[in-house]
Amino acid sequence: MTINHPNFGAMDDKRVIIFDTTLRDGEQSPGFSMNIDEKLRMAEALAALGVDVMEAGFPAASPGDFESVTRIAESIKGPVITGLARAAVNDITRAGEAIRAAERKRIHTFISTSPLHMKYKLRMEPETVLEHVTSSVTLARSFTDDVEWSAEDGTRTDIDFLCRCVEAAIKAGATTINIPDTVGYAVPEDMLRIFSTVRQRVPGADRVILSAHCHNDLGLAVANTLAAVRGGARQIECTINGIGERAGNASLEEVVMAIRTRPDANPYHHNIETTRILRTSKLLSTITGFDVQPNKAIVGRNAFAHESGIHQDGMLKNAATYEIMTPESVGWQKTSLVMGKHSGRAAFRDKLSALGYGDLGDNALNDAFNRFKDLADRKKIVYDEDIVALVDDEVVRGHQRIKFVSLEVWAGSKAKPRALLELEIDGEKKVADERGDGPVDAAFNAIHAIFPHTAALQLFSVGAVTEGTDAQARCTVRLEEDGKTVDGQGADTDTIVAAVRAYIHALNKLITKRARTAPEALSA
Ligand code: KIV
Ligand code: ZN
């Protein structure tokens, strides 16, 4: 039977809906919180990537979450915008209010169905859970025709009870049924069996979209997701770079490219503009301060690198010998020498557009251009990576409370290192002149003097954006306060400036985090 979905119309049986939850499951994991401007920027990038559904957040979790879902619903066109809600009146009402302005909207409501979760987390009898399924979906339907219901810990749920819950949700009006592998426990055979059983046994299951939401605790999230699709799932829940609770969620770039690269094994199609994958992944890394590991499939630095002589020889003869997809198909471009200090604003704008930053406003463009000129004066060769590091730094940090203005450092083996630092706090310039055990320590002491805080420095690391002694340094700073940790990043040809930028980035993230309250019992 053909599915006629309220937001997608008549669905072709081979079409897979890509549901991105970077801004909800991804953002909810330690160290990945984003402020509203960062979420909006990410939401724009996800819409340009072509995701079908964007889970913008969990509106009842905090006023900040409510506001960011509302702002995304008001401004992002294209994808269906959804907000998460537990099976509770307040959660569903808040989600309904937050998504109200969206062009296409959905409420995603969930409740645990496994014996373990019902007994210890919910302290509810199965029959009570069943009643909640019906009442939560019915309430959600009063806000929108597109309602997704999820059986939290679905893969550890008794299959008969799971089928009864799914039947109740469909009867109450759910249009998508999600069966999450909440704790990443399943293996692909389980997924195939569970989805096939639900599809065959539950009346009405052929009229709704079945969905898979897999966590990566055993490193099987992508394999499990693809097995669910073979079992009948037609929506995939995933995140950019695979971020998410604990070991993360199925990575969007991996499932999407597995479908695109192996149509023989995965005869389905999706609407993702795959050439935008890399820039979306990089934007997320810049915003959150977490780079992906070098060997990460599709978006890792080494994903298309060929070092051994045998491989290089093969590549020169025919790239298909060692490449199963082209780097360009996911957005990689050959590293190229870009421009020098004589390049003008128009050339810089063209370069930005080729690198995927076509939509920078005039102010951000001017600031980035000035920093580029400054960089070109200091650095012999300016690579694409340098420009990306510099622009991301400028754009992502644009709206923050604490801003870097200038730094002078005196260091060496004789006098005690000294740092003269100028910052802008809420638009007001402040200066500090401090000493320390080394130049980085002196600069960090100056930050403390200007902006006193109790956060403890947990990690400080330095890497290089490109090669050579004039390469930009990329620093990472991890701060901890009351059990909350945040990572910040900064890049500059001067390592101490990069360190200060990274510290300020982390402090700004901590300020955002302080303003939010932890959602109660959001365990998924
Ligand atoms: O992992 C999970 O079960 C979830 C649900 C809320 C969908 O994230
Ligand atoms: Zn999850």
Side-chain angles (χ1 to χ4, degrees):
M1 176 181 283
T2 323
I3 297 171
N4 201 357
H5 187 274
N7 267 317
F8 295 102
M11 294 263 309
D12 134 22
D13 184 48
K14 297 293 178 194
R15 157 104 148 93
V16 174
I17 290 174
I18 302 296
F19 174 118
D20 179 274
T21 182
T22 306
L23 296 173
R24 199 278 298 168
D25 211 322
E27 203 260 351
Q28 153 187 331
S29 57
F32 284 92
S33 55
M34 304 175 212
N35 65 30
I36 293 187
D37 290 316
E38 290 168 341
K39 283 189 187 170
L40 276 168
R41 189 159 173 78
M42 204 56 221
E44 278 163 18
L46 290 168
L49 181 66
V51 306
D52 299 294
V53 185
M54 185 187 300
E55 189 159 55
F58 178 29
S62 71
D65 277 60
F66 179 83
E67 192 186 340
S68 51
V69 177
T70 308
R71 296 264 306 274
I72 289 172
E74 284 164 357
S75 61
I76 301 296
K77 306 292 170 219
V80 173
I81 308 296
T82 185
L84 184 68
R86 286 165 294 195
V89 173
N90 179 58
D91 273 40
I92 296 170
T93 310
R94 292 293 276 167
E97 285 163 4
I99 57 158
R100 190 173 9 234
E103 201 177 58
R104 299 161 78 211
K105 46 181 164 281
R106 167 180 300 187
I107 290 179
H108 176 193
T109 181
F110 73 100
I111 191 165
S112 294
T113 53
S114 68
L116 212 62
H117 276 223
M118 290 192 291
K119 183 166 177 194
Y120 293 104
K121 183 180 129 170
L122 298 178
R123 295 201 168 87
M124 273 184 203
E125 290 301 321
E127 294 309 311
T128 317
V129 168
L130 259 175
E131 284 163 19
H132 274 73
V133 173
T134 302
S135 60
S136 57
V137 173
T138 307
L139 178 59
R141 275 298 300 251
S142 68
F143 292 95
T144 166
D145 288 348
D146 186 346
V147 171
E148 172 169 340
W149 177 77
S150 284
E152 189 184 3
D153 207 16
T155 55
R156 292 196 299 171
T157 297
D158 168 71
I159 189 73
D160 294 332
F161 184 62
L162 181 64
C163 288
R164 286 180 68 204
C165 290
V166 171
E167 187 174 349
I170 295 174
K171 275 204 180 118
T175 44
T176 298
I177 298 291
N178 183 35
I179 305 173
D181 185 28
T182 302
V183 291
Y185 178 76
V187 295
E189 290 73 17
D190 297 332
M191 300 303 287
L192 186 58
R193 190 186 57 250
I194 293 169
F195 278 82
S196 313
T197 308
V198 167
R199 205 160 63 131
Q200 280 158 20
R201 268 218 227 151
V202 178
D206 56 345
R207 282 183 281 109
V208 297
I209 293 171
L210 298 183
S211 165
H213 174 113
C214 297
H215 280 270
N216 205 29
D217 300 66
L218 294 174
L220 291 172
V222 169
N224 283 342
T225 302
L226 294 172
V229 175
R230 283 198 294 283
R234 288 296 177 271
Q235 174 176 284
I236 288 175
E237 302 200 359
C238 48
T239 58
I240 301 294
N241 297 346
I243 69 170
E245 285 284 3
R246 305 180 309 280
N249 287 69
S251 130
L252 181 147
E253 55 278 12
E254 294 175 20
V255 275
V256 154
M257 289 314 289
I259 291 175
R260 182 65 54 90
T261 310
R262 290 295 308 274
D264 53 333
N266 305 303
Y268 315 105
H269 59 92
H270 54 70
N271 282 350
I272 295 296
E273 176 47 63
T274 62
T275 55
R276 298 192 76 93
I277 284 178
L278 184 68
R279 72 184 73 164
T280 315
S281 155
K282 287 201 166 178
L283 178 66
L284 180 66
S285 296
T286 308
I287 287 175
T288 59
F290 284 109
D291 276 340
V292 297
Q293 81 265 22
N295 60 323
K296 165 82 175 67
I298 319 290
V299 292
R301 175 160 38 90
N302 291 351
F304 293 92
H306 304 277
E307 185 100 2
S308 88
I310 297 174
H311 286 205
Q312 285 178 350
D313 180 54
M315 284 291 296
L316 288 174
K317 290 175 176 147
N318 182 339
T321 50
Y322 288 101
E323 270 179 7
I324 58 168
M325 56 199 139
T326 65
E328 290 78 13
S329 67
V330 294
W332 288 95
Q333 290 170 344
K334 294 213 165 35
T335 298
S336 59
L337 178 64
V338 281
M339 301 165 301
K341 58 182 173 184
H342 302 297
S343 310
R345 196 176 299 265
F348 184 66
R349 193 192 286 270
D350 281 355
K351 174 49 85 178
L352 288 185
S353 163
L355 290 172
Y357 296 99
D359 51 352
L360 280 192
D362 279 350
N363 287 346
L365 179 81
N366 280 348
D367 290 347
F369 183 66
N370 290 339
R371 279 193 70 190
F372 158 71
K373 282 295 207 189
D374 187 41
L375 182 67
D377 268 343
R378 286 182 285 147
K379 194 171 184 299
K380 286 194 283 291
I381 304 173
V382 180
Y383 294 98
D384 286 356
E385 286 94 326
D386 288 314
I387 297 209
V388 168
L390 171 158
V391 174
D392 281 347
D393 215 60
E394 203 61 54
V395 171
V396 170
R397 323 266 181 271
H399 304 280
Q400 298 186 334
R401 277 191 61 195
I402 311 174
K403 286 187 185 160
F404 173 81
V405 179
S406 69
L407 175 72
E408 264 186 276
V409 175
W410 294 268
S413 57
K414 288 189 175 166
K416 192 162 167 98
R418 177 180 160 209
L420 180 62
L421 177 67
E422 189 174 357
L423 300 181
E424 210 177 271
I425 314 286
D426 295 326
E428 194 187 332
K429 293 227 166 94
K430 300 208 165 159
V431 180
D433 187 348
E434 294 291 320
R435 294 180 186 265
D437 289 337
V440 173
D441 191 46
F444 287 0
N445 286 343
I447 298 178
H448 259 281
I450 296 178
F451 191 85
H453 55 277
T454 54
L457 179 67
Q458 282 201 328
L459 174 142
F460 169 58
S461 70
V462 188
V465 172
T466 57
E467 283 157 18
T469 50
D470 66 346
Q472 288 194 86
R474 190 206 298 276
C475 293
T476 301
V477 161
R478 178 170 303 157
L479 297 179
E480 192 268 338
E481 187 187 62
D482 298 334
K484 299 187 182 84
T485 52
V486 286
D487 281 31
Q489 283 198 329
D492 199 279
T493 46
D494 185 307
T495 308
I496 318 294
V497 172
V500 167
R501 285 183 180 279
Y503 198 113
I504 292 172
H505 185 211
L507 263 186
N508 278 310
K509 288 174 90 173
L510 210 53
I511 294 170
T512 307
K513 215 164 183 164
R514 274 186 204 153
R516 298 170 60 176
T517 49
E520 183 208 332
L522 182 72
S523 61

